[in-house]
Amino acid sequence: MAVLVFCNSCLCEPRTPTPRFCLTSCGHVFCEVCLQKGKKDECLVCRRACRTLVLSKETSPDIQSLFMPIDVLSKKYSKEISQVSEFQEKYRKRLIKYHKQKIAKLEESLKKVTQQIQQLQCCVLIINFLITSVPSRKQNVYSSYSLHSSRPSTSETMEAMEIDPVPSPMRKLETPTGPTRLSVITPPQDGRMG
């Protein structure tokens, strides 16, 4: 191991022949000799119940990393962090690309719907214009009735009766008995028939 390992009880360092060192679950390191002097399953420093693990090259990487120099450890983890960062960046880009495509489709749909609404509004305006400019159905019924009416207008009646507008005193007034001629079709008046 790269970092200096020493016993937390006798402060001895690894030597030849090297005694084995153990790590306790409470985070203390002891040599084999000190562990045999103390009580079994009890830490020599904090006196708590603990388990021990022998430190060797076969120890798990997580435990070995506790004894690695910081610069080596930072290089190791920076490489792992950069790999994780690259993965997450690719993942984010895929997600952003998906959302951009979805937004583009929605914007296109919105544009089409907006155009359809504008076309419908134009149609409504045209229909409203046509409704207001064309005479109503009632007016058409009355005008068709007057077209087919056989009653002559007052002016026609006056013409047909040949009445003198100024009566003479010598002349006996005649009572009109009816028009001398009848017209089935009346001439246009005020721009309308009937």
Side-chain angles (χ1 to χ4, degrees), residues 15 44 85 90 92:
R15 61 186 180 276
L44 296 169
S85 176
K90 286 178 185 176
R92 237 179 269 117

Side-chain angles (χ1 to χ4, degrees), residues 125-143:
L125 287 173
I126 290 169
I127 290 169
N128 285 339
F129 174 75
L130 291 174
I131 288 171
T132 55
S133 64
V134 174
S136 69
R137 190 172 169 87
K138 273 186 177 180
Q139 290 172 341
N140 288 341
V141 169
Y142 290 131
S143 62

Side-chain angles (χ1 to χ4, degrees), residues 100-186:
K100 281 183 179 178
Q101 289 173 346
K102 193 172 181 180
I103 288 168
K105 286 179 183 177
L106 288 172
E107 283 176 345
E108 190 176 327
S109 297
L110 179 65
K111 191 177 178 181
K112 286 179 182 177
V113 169
T114 306
Q115 288 174 349
Q116 288 175 350
I117 288 171
Q118 288 172 347
Q119 288 173 352
L120 288 173
Q121 286 174 339
C122 288
C123 289
V124 167
L125 287 173
I126 290 169
I127 290 169
N128 285 339
F129 174 75
L130 291 174
I131 288 171
T132 55
S133 64
V134 174
S136 69
R137 190 172 169 87
K138 273 186 177 180
Q139 290 172 341
N140 288 341
V141 169
Y142 290 131
S143 62
S144 65
Y145 172 77
S146 62
L147 278 174
H148 299 294
S149 173
S150 60
R151 285 181 63 190
S153 66
T154 313
S155 60
E156 279 183 59
T157 310
M158 297 258 311
E159 274 179 32
M161 293 170 76
E162 297 179 4
I163 297 174
D164 192 4
V166 184
S168 71
M170 302 296 280
R171 214 164 128 191
K172 185 179 171 187
L173 287 172
E174 295 177 16
T175 54
T177 55
T180 55
R181 65 185 172 115
L182 291 175
S183 173
V184 180
I185 299 174
T186 58

Side-chain angles (χ1 to χ4, degrees), residues 1 3 23 60-69 73:
M1 295 196 179
V3 170
L23 175 68
S60 72
D62 292 339
I63 300 297
Q64 285 185 19
S65 66
L66 295 172
F67 300 96
M68 279 186 184
L73 196 62

